[in-house]
Every structure is written in C-alpha cells, then in structure tokens.
C-alpha cells in the first residue's frame, strides 16, 4: 500500500488519459471517468444578489436552506437551514416516496421561515451521478438548477475566492469537478467559454486500469460490497470503506499470529465493526495510542502496547494511501487546467468538503504535501467549504439569475446591429437611388454618392506591354513601384516596390510638405532601382475623392481617412505632384493617369479576369467603382462605349437617408471624428472605424456593469485604442478565448472568461453589420449592371482589395 512518487505520477498519467476519453463523444461510452457536463458555465463574480432556496440530498440527512445574497458595494451572504433525517424505508423505497418526502420537508421549512407566499428560485444539490441535458427541469417551485455536491462545493468556495475552479469531496464518497474549456467537451454543443465537468472519478479503475495497485484486501472488500466491481477508486479512498480495509488487514495479521497473540474476536470477524471515526481517533497525534487501546478493547481484543503501535501504523498506511491516490487524480486535473490555459505556472484554488478531510487529523496536510510534490508548477490554495455544498446550489441559481439578466441587457445593446433582410433590401434600394442621382446633371449637386467619372474607358485585354512607374497614396503608407508588363503567349507582370511611411505631421501639415515628401520617396526608389535618369510613364493611385476632367487631371474634392493637409482641396493633385518634381529638379516623369484605388483594383483583377468590371475596397476606407454605360452618364459628353465610375459611396447617408439604422455608437464615433457628419456609410463599414464602434459599446456595457466588473480602465477611455486588427484577431475561429483574454490584457483590460465571450460577440455584431451593409451597397451596383445589360442573369467578377477583407477571418 506504500506508493512511491513514480507510481503516483503514473496514476496521474492514467487518470489524464481517462479524462480525455470521458470528454470525447466516441470514447465516452467506454470511459470509466464519465466527465459529466454540469451545464454550469460561470462562477460567481460577486455581483449576484437575491433570496434563494436550496435543498441538499446526498446522505443520511436531507437539508433545506434559505440563502440571501447581498451586494451593497460589498458582497455578503446569509444562510438559514434545517436538517431532516432521511429514514431507511424512504432511502430504499420508491422514487415517488423519496421525492414526496423531500417536498414535504421543503414545505415544512418554507412554512417555518414564512416563505410560502413567495415564489423563490431553488437550487437542488443531488449528490449522485446524473447525466444532465440542461441546468433545470421546471416544477412548480422555480427549480432553476440541479448540481452535484462537488459543483456545489466549488460554487460555495468560488463565492469567497474567485480563483476557485475545482470542487473536491473527500468524505463518505469521493469525487471532483473542475472548469473545462467548452472546445474540449464533445458531449455538448458550442465551443465558447467553459463549463464545469463532474468527473465522477470514483469509478476510475473499474476497467482494470488500477488492478496492479489493488491489494488482496481491496478485492475482498469489493466482493463484500453492495456494488462489486464498481467505484473501485472510491473504495480505496473514501471514508465509507477505509475502516473496513483496516479491519480486513488486522484480521489477516491476527490469523497469522502477528497481533493479539493470534486470538481473533467475534467483533473483528464482523463486517463494518471498524469505522472511519475509529481510524481517525487512532491516528490522533497525542491521544492516538490510548484511543487505539480503548477501541481494540471494545472489540474484545486484548492488545499489548506493541499491538497498539502496529494497529496505529496500519491505520496510517491505509489513510495515507487514500490521500496519495486522491492527490494523484487531483494533480491530473490541475495539470489539465494549467495546459488549457497555456501557463508555465498555475495559481488556483480547490474548494473542499467531506467528512474525511474535515475530521481526520493528518489527512489535509498529507494531501496538500503530495499534491505540491506532484505538480510543483501549480500554486494551490485549499479552501474548506464552510457552508457545505448546499449553499453552492443557491449560488448556481444566483449566477444563473445574473446571467439571464445580463443576457437580456447585452441583447438589447446589440439588437440595433442585427439587420433584417428587409432592412438590407431597403439599404440596397436607397443606394440605387443615390447612384442614379449622382449620374444625372440636375441631381448631381445634392447626391451623397458622388459618381465621379474616371476617364478610364477600357479594361485590360492582355496586349499591354512595357515598363511603368506607379505611385500609391491612400493611407498611412505610400508605395512606389516599377511594373514590367509583357504581352503575348507567355504574358507576365513583374513588380518591384518599396513602402514608405507618411508621418502624422505630414498627413496633417501643408500640401507642399506632403507632395515634397512624396517626391523624396520617389527619388529614393529610383536610386534604389538604379533608374534615376530614365523618363518613364507614371500612374498615380490617389485614393481620395477626386473630380476628374480627363485621365490625367484630378481635383481633390475632400480628404478622408485622417488626412488633413492644407491647400489641397479644390486643387489638381497631378499639378501639385508636377510642381513638387520641378522644385526638386532631379528627374522628370511623364504623369499619364491618376486613378482611385478602387479603379486600380478593378484594373489589376481585370488583367487576370476579363469578367471583372467592379472594383471594391474594404480596408481603412470603403469605396467601389464599376464600368458604366456612357449613355447613362449625363455629366460627361458622349454616349458611346463605357467609362469607369468611382462612386465614392462612403458619403452615402450623409443626407440622413440611413439614419434609421445608425446607432448611438455610430453617432458617437462620427462626432469624435475629423470630419463629423461626413462619410457616414464608410464609418459603419470600414476598418478605420469598426474598432472605435466596438470600444464605444464596450464602455457602455462596462458602465452597465456587464463587463470587466464595471471597471473602465484608463486605456479603454482612449479613442482609437481598440484597433480593427483586434477585431480580426478576436474573431478568428482558431482563437481560443485564452488568446482573446491576452489581447484584452494588452489593452489593460483584466477580463474573465465570460468577459471574453461578450467582447467576441460585440466584435461579431459590429463586423457582421459592416459586411452586410457593404453587401447591400454592392447588390445595388450589381443589379444596375444587370439591368444595363438587359439580362435575366448576370455573371460578373468583383475585384477586391483592402485589409478588412483580407485579414478579417469572417
């Protein structure tokens, strides 16, 4: 019965294997450790309040309780309870008799507490293995939760210590529960968050996995039990069996003449004569030997002093083995928690209850010591449950109540982001109206979608050839490229490029400084490529609204995306670039075309796919261009052929036509932006703003006490701190909530698992709406193209670019 650390580490590994088996849908039926989902998904967070009933059925007594939970700035609870004996005829009678007895006791308790007139929510601690399908089954009293005693213990201790995520019972029976990641629980739908798993570890070894460790005494005890072959691990650990194990060992030793001069008494031959209370008394530090003499004398054995020392030694070995085995299984759970959290060192609390742990003088110290030896990388606090597991059922009920109320509030906050198909059709129709306004002479001035002609009248056909320079300005980076195009049978495009940063002071300085910086970057690139003296044709991608009079003339209508350079609006950007090149007087370039990034995207994709007639940018900004029939463009001379129209759709809604779908968060983001009242559609759909919308929602939810324990961190108050890249990372399918928590920690937000789920949900609501609104706008353009062609069914390609489209997983 003496187990070395190597043996215990081996038991720990075997238990870990069983846990994995129990969690798998296909392997669960053959697993001895059943890993039953409890549907308890959240621990108390201290904000629970209310009046709750609890009932506890699990041993020789039945207990009814009233638990009051307060939270007036400081959490506290008050507990009143009454015990009722559970008669043997009830325990061994029919189910109907048992439950009507429970109901009678509960009725008596409610009457004594004057609670009959109240319909209070009730939690039920039922300390037997149960397969649960949901947390509650409705009866007339509001039964909100049914929990196992391990879960009750974890919840009771979790109310006092938020780090408590394991519940352990070491008493008449033994069992443990812990908080497992949902993504590992095959038996339950969904993979967000955590759920408490009731391991039912008492049956560990029922498949023979512990046969090498079971002694002849364990086998004999099992054969004489009510359930032979079952709960073999429990039979080596729990107080129901330890006294009997001691009796069997003493009987054998006596028969072999090693004790009591070989004289066996009738009492020593009687099953159940030595109980756990005797073992505990015999192991007491000072009075242990005198207790041993007294107990053995009562059993009609006449012990010498040596007999007493030997018997005491037997008790120690039996109870020590129990603590060792318990420690090995607990160490397996602690290791799993640490690995789930990807931590080098775990700090956690184990809530404990049970008579063996509470009354045995040496047990707690032995258990703690062995656990620390087996898992040196876990700092474990052992917290004794003061109010038993019954209060835990009330806590589960209180948590369920809190979560239901929170769910309602969160749903209310996110409801305006859920757009119905009717609403999206309405957006599509309004966009269509605005497109038409922008194309017509008499309505163009008041159109929010500017429909700017680009003077690009054809898409690539594959015969293009030569060397070209290209510039790309549209965000915080500026790109210079050399593009070599080869036509013919083996056509190819080769590109060489360099990216330069544009500092904020230049983005928001003077126009002259901005264009001088651009020319400086071009000079660096030409030198880098060794082509400083070559005069090359140049195309300029300028991703801001421009009114064009020809392909190489573009007057800036207004800056977007954080640019504010002075003396540029109303000026021709090609002229400003030519001026800057002249000022530098180092090289000359032939500026042939100025295009918007949407046009650039359409042309790039058009080179690969001749069906591409639409260019979409979904990135820092949001915009679209498409090939329109000349006959529909009233603002340009001629009606033969087609021309690319840069819609500048970001301004859609600036006339108030989509105010019905703008939320208070959209309004807050707009009011805090550089161009309040402008680009309203862009502010609901583009990467520059989505993170800020999320931040505003998170602040609101925190103020309502639904996130981060109601504490708004300094960093969350900073505008722009929640970048759209965080949305993309948080919504990644592969990302566990653990990594979501890491991202939030970088932002100074100390989040719980529940917080992370809510943040992920907020990100999803904001980005889904952005994609749907963008889709509704695009649908208006695709439909217009179909009608232009006069076909029932249109096949078309949309060329897309932009970080939001490229990097956001959904």
């Amino acid at each position: 019965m003496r187990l070395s650390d190597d043996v215990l580490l081996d038991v720990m590994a075997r238990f870990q294997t069983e846990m994995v088996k129990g969690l798998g849908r296909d392997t669960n039926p053959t697993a001895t450790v059943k890993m039953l989902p409890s549907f308890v998904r959240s621990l108390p967070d201290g904000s629970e309040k209310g009046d709750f009933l609890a009932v506890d059925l699990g041993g020789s007594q039945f207990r009814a309780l009233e638990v009051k939970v307060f939270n007036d700035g400081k959490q506290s609870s008050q507990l009143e309870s009454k015990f009722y004996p559970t008669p043997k005829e009830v325990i061994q009678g029919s189910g109907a008799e048992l439950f009507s007895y429970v109901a009678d006791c509960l009725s008596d308790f409610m009457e004594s507490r004057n609670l009959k007139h109240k319909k209070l929510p009730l939690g039920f601690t039922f300390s037997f293995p149960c397969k649960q399908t949901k947390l509650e089954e409705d009866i007339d009293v509001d039964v909100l939760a049914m929990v196992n005693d391990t879960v009750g213990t974890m919840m009771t201790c979790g109310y006092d210590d938020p780090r408590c995520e394991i519940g352990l019972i070491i008493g008449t029976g033994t069992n443990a529960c812990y908080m497992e990641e949902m993504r590992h629980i095959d038996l339950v739908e969904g993979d967000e968050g955590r759920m408490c798993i009731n391991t039912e570890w008492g049956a560990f070894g029922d498949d023979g996995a512990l046969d090498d460790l079971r002694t002849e005494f364990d086998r004999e005890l099992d054969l004489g039990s009510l359930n032979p072959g079952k709960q073999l691990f429990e039979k080596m650990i729990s107080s129901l069996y330890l006294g009997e194990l001691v009796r069997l060992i003493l009987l054998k030793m006596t028969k072999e003449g090693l004790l009591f001069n070989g004289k066996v008494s009738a009492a020593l031959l009687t099953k159940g004569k030595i109980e756990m209370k005797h073992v505990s008394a015999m192991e007491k530090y000072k009075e242990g030997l005198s207790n041993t003499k007294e107990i053995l004398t009562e059993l009609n054995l006449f012990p010498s002093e040596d007999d007493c020392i030997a018997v005491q030694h037997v008790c120690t070995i039996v109870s020590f083995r129990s603590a060792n085995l318990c420690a090995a299984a607990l160490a397996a759970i602690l290791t799993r928690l640490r690995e789930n959290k990807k931590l080098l060192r775990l700090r956690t609390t184990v809530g404990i209850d049970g008579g063996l742990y509470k009354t045995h003088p040496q047990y707690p110290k032995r258990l703690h010591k062995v656990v620390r030896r087996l898992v040196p990388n876990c700092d474990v606090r052992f917290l004794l449950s003061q109010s038993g597991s019954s209060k835990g059922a009330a806590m589960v009920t209180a948590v369920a109540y809190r979560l239901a109320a929170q769910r309602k509030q969160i749903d209310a906050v996110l409801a305006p982001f859920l757009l119905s198909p009717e609403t999206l059709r309405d957006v599509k129709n309004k966009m269509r109206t605005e497109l038409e306004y922008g194309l017509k002479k008499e309505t163009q001035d008041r159109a929010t979608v500017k429909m700017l002609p680009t003077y690009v009248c054809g898409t690539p056909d594959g015969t293009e050839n030569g060397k070209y320079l290209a510039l790309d300005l549209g965000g915080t980076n500026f790109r210079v490229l050399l593009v070599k195009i080869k036509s013919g049978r083996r056509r190819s495009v080769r590109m060489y490029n360099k990216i330069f940063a544009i500092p904020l002071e230049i983005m928001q300085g003077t126009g002259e400084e901005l264009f001088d910086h651009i020319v400086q970057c071009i000079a660096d690139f030409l030198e880098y490529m060794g082509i400083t003296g070559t005069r090359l044709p140049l195309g300029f991608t300028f991703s801001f609204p421009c009114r064009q009079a020809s392909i190489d003339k573009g007057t800036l209508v207004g800056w977007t995306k954080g640019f504010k350079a002075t003396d540029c609006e109303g000026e021709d950007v090609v002229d400003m670039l030519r001026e800057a090149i002249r000022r530098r007087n180092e090289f000359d370039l032939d500026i042939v075309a100025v295009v918007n990034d949407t046009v650039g995207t359409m042309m790039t994709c058009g080179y690969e796919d001749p069906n591409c007639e639409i260019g979409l940018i979904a990135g820092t900004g949001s915009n679209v261009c498409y090939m329109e029939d000349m006959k529909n463009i009233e603002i340009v001379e001629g009606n033969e052929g087609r021309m690319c129209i840069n819609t500048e759709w970001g301004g859609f809604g600036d006339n108030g036509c989509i105010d019905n779908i703008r939320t208070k968060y959209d309004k807050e983001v707009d009011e805090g932006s550089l161009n309040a009242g402008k680009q309203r559609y862009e502010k609901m759909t583009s990467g520059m703003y989505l993170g800020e919308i999320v931040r505003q929602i998170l602040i609101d939810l925190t103020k309502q006490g639904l996130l981060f324990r109601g504490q708004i961190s300094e960093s969350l108050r900073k505008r722009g701190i929640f970048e759209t890249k965080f949305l993309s990372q948080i919504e990644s399918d592969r990302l566990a909530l653990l990594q979501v928590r890491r991202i939030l920690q970088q932002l100074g937000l100390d989040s719980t698992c529940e917080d992370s789920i809510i943040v992920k949900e907020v990100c999803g609501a904001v980005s889904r709406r952005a994609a749907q609104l963008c889709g509704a706008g695009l649908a208006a353009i695709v439909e217009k193209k179909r009608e232009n062609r006069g076909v029932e069914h249109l096949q078309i390609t949309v060329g897309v670019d932009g970080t939001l489209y490229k990097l956001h997983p959904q």
Side-chain angles (χ1 to χ4, degrees):
M1 285 195 173
R2 284 198 183 94
L3 306 176
S4 69
D5 280 3
D6 284 346
V7 170
L8 293 177
L9 287 166
D10 185 40
V11 172
M12 178 177 146
R14 295 183 212 181
F15 190 77
Q16 279 174 305
T17 305
E18 277 301 307
M19 286 171 82
V20 174
K21 257 174 93 173
L23 288 171
R25 182 175 282 125
D26 300 333
T27 47
N28 175 276
T30 60
T32 56
V33 177
K34 280 297 170 214
M35 305 296 278
L36 304 172
S38 69
F39 293 83
V40 170
R41 297 166 189 265
S42 183
L43 296 162
D45 72 355
S47 67
E48 293 77 15
K49 51 178 181 276
D51 202 349
F52 304 93
L53 284 173
V55 294
D56 187 351
L57 181 66
S60 54
Q61 283 186 318
F62 166 75
R63 188 181 184 196
L65 307 93
E66 181 190 4
V67 182
K68 287 186 159 105
V69 186
F70 307 97
N71 182 15
D72 311 317
K74 193 166 172 269
Q75 66 179 67
S76 64
S77 64
Q78 214 177 314
L79 190 142
E80 296 291 339
S81 73
K82 193 171 173 185
F83 285 95
Y84 297 87
T86 320
K88 200 169 185 181
E89 62 274 17
V90 169
I91 291 177
Q92 297 183 354
S94 72
E97 285 166 343
L98 171 66
F99 282 95
S100 72
Y101 177 74
V102 168
D104 288 345
C105 295
L106 182 60
S107 172
D108 173 75
F109 176 73
M110 289 175 79
E111 207 156 290
S112 70
R113 301 282 310 148
N114 194 22
L115 297 172
K116 273 284 177 77
H117 61 289
K118 293 184 180 179
K119 187 171 179 178
L120 292 180
L122 177 138
F124 181 18
T125 306
F126 187 73
S127 310
F128 304 94
C130 279
K131 265 206 177 69
Q132 276 180 260
T133 51
K134 59 177 182 173
L135 202 54
E136 82 296 324
E137 296 291 345
D138 296 321
I139 314 173
D140 190 37
V141 184
D142 225 349
V143 182
L144 262 204
M146 187 191 83
V147 298
N148 175 276
D149 52 352
T150 54
V151 182
T153 299
M154 180 185 78
M155 295 300 271
T156 301
C157 296
Y159 184 68
D160 297 316
D161 180 346
R163 283 191 189 276
C164 181
E165 45 192 345
I166 297 175
L168 175 61
I169 300 283
I170 315 170
T172 313
T174 180
N175 192 13
C177 72
Y178 73 102
M179 294 301 285
E180 176 60 86
E181 304 279 325
M182 281 289 287
R183 63 199 154 106
H184 294 148
I185 309 171
D186 276 359
L187 309 169
V188 178
E189 292 288 304
D191 56 2
E192 293 293 349
R194 302 191 302 166
M195 184 183 282
C196 180
I197 290 290
N198 162 19
T199 64
E200 284 299 334
W201 78 8
F204 175 42
D206 286 6
D207 58 353
L210 296 175
D211 280 4
D212 54 329
L213 301 178
R214 289 173 70 231
T215 64
E216 58 181 289
F217 309 110
D218 294 306
R219 291 191 178 89
E220 195 177 333
L221 177 142
D222 176 45
L223 286 172
S225 69
L226 285 172
N227 55 348
K230 300 253 169 72
Q231 299 295 100
L232 297 182
F233 188 60
E234 183 167 83
K235 284 170 184 167
M236 297 163 87
I237 290 179
S238 82
S239 62
L240 189 62
Y241 304 101
L242 296 193
E244 183 59 9
L245 276 174
V246 167
R247 184 188 72 82
L248 292 171
I249 295 167
L250 298 186
L251 182 60
K252 174 160 184 170
M253 289 172 80
T254 309
K255 281 179 175 172
E256 291 189 3
L258 300 170
L259 287 176
F260 318 127
N261 293 324
K263 289 190 178 114
V264 176
S265 71
L268 190 60
L269 287 165
T270 309
K271 185 180 162 187
K273 271 292 182 190
I274 298 179
E275 294 173 40
M276 190 63 224
K277 64 180 181 187
H278 300 132
V279 177
S280 294
M282 291 193 272
E283 279 195 72
K284 278 213 168 122
Y285 178 55
K286 283 189 174 150
E287 59 267 40
L289 271 177
S290 63
N291 289 346
T292 306
K293 190 171 177 109
E294 200 177 308
I295 290 162
L296 294 173
T297 307
E298 275 174 21
L299 294 172
N300 295 323
L301 298 159
F302 302 99
S304 65
E305 193 166 327
D306 284 352
D307 287 340
C308 289
I309 291 169
V311 170
Q312 208 179 19
H313 195 52
V314 169
C315 291
T316 302
I317 283 177
V318 169
S319 64
F320 210 137
R321 182 185 69 158
S322 162
N324 275 338
L325 288 172
C326 197
L330 183 57
I333 291 175
L334 288 162
T335 302
R336 182 158 183 94
L337 271 180
R338 186 180 62 76
E339 287 171 356
N340 279 352
K341 294 185 183 189
K342 298 186 169 55
L343 294 174
L344 291 173
R345 197 162 192 88
L346 173 73
R347 203 173 144 207
T348 193
T349 297
V350 178
I352 305 196
D353 201 358
L356 178 53
Y357 185 88
K358 282 178 173 173
T359 58
H360 190 288
Q362 317 295 337
Y363 204 97
K365 201 191 288 175
R366 288 173 187 165
L367 177 76
H368 303 174
K369 213 169 167 182
V370 179
V371 167
R372 289 185 178 121
R373 245 185 10 245
L374 295 179
V375 278
N377 47 8
C378 296
D379 300 320
V380 189
R381 177 186 181 210
F382 292 89
L383 181 60
L384 186 61
S385 168
Q386 296 303 333
S387 2
S389 57
S390 329
K391 177 181 165 186
M395 290 318 307
V396 173
T397 310
V399 169
Y401 241 56
R402 165 175 65 82
L403 292 178
Q406 282 181 351
R407 183 72 266 160
K408 248 193 193 132
Q409 287 172 274
I410 292 162
D411 288 348
V413 167
L414 297 182
F417 289 87
L418 297 171
L419 303 180
S420 67
E422 292 72 35
T423 304
L424 292 169
R425 268 193 285 277
D426 183 48
V427 172
K428 179 191 80 168
N429 296 336
K430 285 174 177 169
M431 175 70 84
R432 180 65 193 270
T433 304
E434 290 293 319
L435 297 176
E436 302 290 359
Y437 279 170
L439 288 173
K440 289 190 169 62
K441 249 193 190 123
E442 69 271 18
T443 50
Q444 213 236 353
D445 287 347
R446 65 172 195 271
T448 58
V449 178
K450 287 293 173 216
M451 304 298 279
L452 305 173
T454 64
Y455 295 85
V456 170
C457 296
T459 49
D461 67 358
T463 62
E464 295 75 19
N465 234 331
K467 270 190 203 175
Y468 304 89
L469 267 185
L471 313 179
D472 188 351
L473 177 69
T476 48
N477 287 330
F478 170 64
R479 195 151 76 120
V480 188
L481 307 92
L482 174 67
V483 184
K484 295 179 180 177
I485 304 174
K486 208 164 135 190
S487 64
R489 208 160 50 83
R490 298 184 62 187
R491 66 191 188 132
S492 67
V493 177
R494 288 170 77 190
M495 294 200 300
Y496 308 88
N497 76 83
K498 208 167 180 191
I499 293 172
F500 302 89
I502 299 194
L504 190 65
E505 62 270 18
I506 285 179
M507 280 167 74
Q508 298 183 5
T510 67
E512 200 168 282
E513 286 167 341
L514 174 64
F515 280 91
D516 283 347
H517 179 75
I518 288 170
V519 172
Q520 171 69 57
C521 297
I522 297 170
D524 288 354
F525 179 74
L526 294 176
E527 194 180 323
Y528 169 73
M529 292 301 295
I531 51 171
T532 302
T534 322
R535 186 181 162 118
L536 290 172
L538 176 136
F540 185 12
T541 303
F542 186 74
S543 311
F544 303 93
C546 279
R547 203 160 254 117
Q548 286 185 251
S550 66
I551 198 165
D552 64 347
K553 285 200 180 312
T555 304
L556 177 62
V557 174
W559 286 118
T560 56
K561 293 178 282 197
F563 274 75
K564 267 286 189 210
T566 57
D567 312 321
C568 296
E569 293 181 3
E571 298 295 326
D572 183 347
V573 294
V574 177
D575 284 347
M576 292 181 83
L577 181 60
R578 284 189 181 125
E579 282 298 311
I581 291 171
R582 259 201 292 282
R583 276 197 298 277
R584 190 169 179 97
N585 198 17
E586 262 182 35
F587 52 83
D588 198 15
L589 297 169
D590 184 12
I591 303 168
V592 174
V594 59
V595 299
N596 178 276
D597 53 351
T598 54
V599 182
T601 298
M602 181 185 77
M603 298 299 272
T604 301
C605 297
Y607 188 71
E608 308 290 332
D609 179 350
N611 233 356
C612 180
E613 295 183 25
I614 298 175
L616 168 67
I617 298 287
T620 311
S622 173
N623 193 15
V624 125
C625 73
Y626 72 102
M627 295 302 289
E628 179 57 272
D629 292 359
M630 283 291 284
K631 63 177 188 286
N632 295 331
I633 312 172
E634 290 184 11
I635 46 180
V636 175
E637 297 282 304
N639 53 14
E640 287 301 311
R642 298 184 308 160
M643 183 186 284
C644 180
I645 292 288
N646 163 21
T647 64
E648 284 301 334
W649 78 2
F652 172 51
D654 289 1
N655 59 358
C657 71
I658 53 171
D659 279 3
N660 62 315
I661 58 167
R662 288 176 76 227
T663 66
K664 63 175 183 175
Y665 310 107
D666 295 309
K667 288 168 188 155
E668 279 162 8
V669 169
D670 179 35
E671 282 157 21
S673 69
L674 287 169
N675 55 348
K678 303 244 171 80
Q679 300 294 101
R680 288 180 180 179
Y681 181 67
E682 180 167 82
K683 284 171 185 166
M684 295 164 87
T685 55
S686 82
M688 184 152 185
Y689 302 100
L690 299 189
E692 185 57 16
I693 297 172
V694 167
R695 186 183 76 89
Q696 294 289 353
I697 299 171
L698 299 186
I699 285 176
D700 194 15
L701 290 173
T702 309
K703 279 180 183 165
Q704 292 184 45
L706 302 169
L707 267 182
F708 313 130
R709 297 180 189 82
Q711 305 294 313
I712 300 177
S713 70
E714 273 315 301
S715 61
L716 194 59
R717 293 181 199 276
K718 286 185 196 144
R719 183 170 292 282
I721 187 84
F722 203 97
E723 296 169 50
T724 298
K725 70 172 183 190
F726 295 136
L727 255 84
S728 298
Q729 290 167 0
I730 285 169
E731 282 198 75
S732 166
D733 271 342
R734 297 187 309 282
L735 202 66
L737 286 172
L738 200 65
Q739 285 144 300
V740 176
R741 284 176 79 174
R742 285 212 185 113
I743 292 167
L744 294 173
Q745 270 162 358
Q746 287 167 25
L747 297 171
L749 299 167
D750 182 23
S751 69
T752 62
C753 177
E754 285 77 26
D755 290 337
S756 303
I757 294 173
I758 295 167
V759 170
K760 195 165 181 176
E761 201 178 331
V762 170
C763 291
V766 171
S767 64
R768 186 185 307 109
R769 183 190 67 160
Q772 288 179 332
L773 285 175
C774 194
L778 194 56
I781 287 171
V782 171
E783 195 165 74
K784 185 165 192 345
K785 291 283 302 172
R786 184 182 63 75
E787 288 175 16
N788 283 354
R789 286 213 201 151
V791 292
E792 273 295 297
H793 193 95
L794 176 73
Q795 255 198 320
I796 195 162
T797 298
V798 179
V800 192
D801 199 3
T803 46
L804 187 57
Y805 187 88
K806 284 177 170 174
L807 301 180
H808 192 287
Q810 313 293 348

